[in-house]
Amino acid sequence: MSSCFTKLHHCVKYARSSRKEKMTMMNPVWIVHEVELHEDYTLLLTFANGEKKIYNARPLLEKAIYSQLKSPAFFLNAKVACGTVVWNDDLDIAPEHLYECSESVDV
């Protein structure tokens, strides 16, 4: 199947989808609305659909790009911006990754 056909099929499918489905497509569930930071390097995240999940950031500490997070003071300075968790202009985590790699919690 050619990529052109795939794109056309997607457009036709989108045109036929309901208003609710279109709103979901335009407002992905993985957009982060709130973050609560914990000293154990976990994040309690609230996503666009209201779902709350816990993300364990400890594995990131092994990656050179995230070395600044080893400082608890720096880690606890995160905030939500542009639909994801950011620490500064150079350091953030993709919201899709946060959603897919987090564990759901009961509230």
Side-chain angles (χ1 to χ4, degrees):
M1 184 181 309
S2 75
S3 63
C4 183
F5 177 78
T6 303
K7 290 177 185 175
L8 177 60
H9 179 71
H10 173 73
C11 292
V12 170
K13 183 178 177 183
Y14 179 77
R16 291 183 183 161
S17 58
S18 71
R19 178 177 168 81
K20 184 176 181 180
E21 288 171 330
K22 287 179 186 174
M23 291 303 291
T24 301
M25 293 171 145
M26 290 186 290
N27 298 312
V29 297
W30 41 259
I31 297 295
V32 178
H33 280 207
E34 295 178 20
V35 62
E36 182 180 305
L37 306 153
H38 298 265
E39 291 180 355
D40 65 352
Y41 288 95
T42 60
L43 309 170
L44 176 60
L45 304 162
T46 304
F47 291 93
N49 63 354
E51 188 175 2
K52 291 190 180 283
K53 292 182 156 197
I54 292 280
Y55 178 78
N56 177 6
R58 284 183 294 268
L60 297 179
L61 303 178
E62 298 172 18
K63 300 178 187 271
I65 193 169
Y66 291 107
S67 63
Q68 290 177 294
L69 297 182
K70 291 179 182 178
S71 163
F74 185 83
F75 177 80
L76 294 171
N77 202 26
K79 63 184 178 196
V80 173
C82 300
T84 193
V85 177
V86 302
W87 282 269
N88 59 30
D89 290 341
D90 297 322
L91 195 60
D92 61 25
I93 304 175
E96 303 92 337
H97 172 79
L98 291 171
Y99 188 82
E100 292 173 8
C101 297
S102 297
E103 299 289 327
S104 293
V105 294
D106 294 325
V107 180

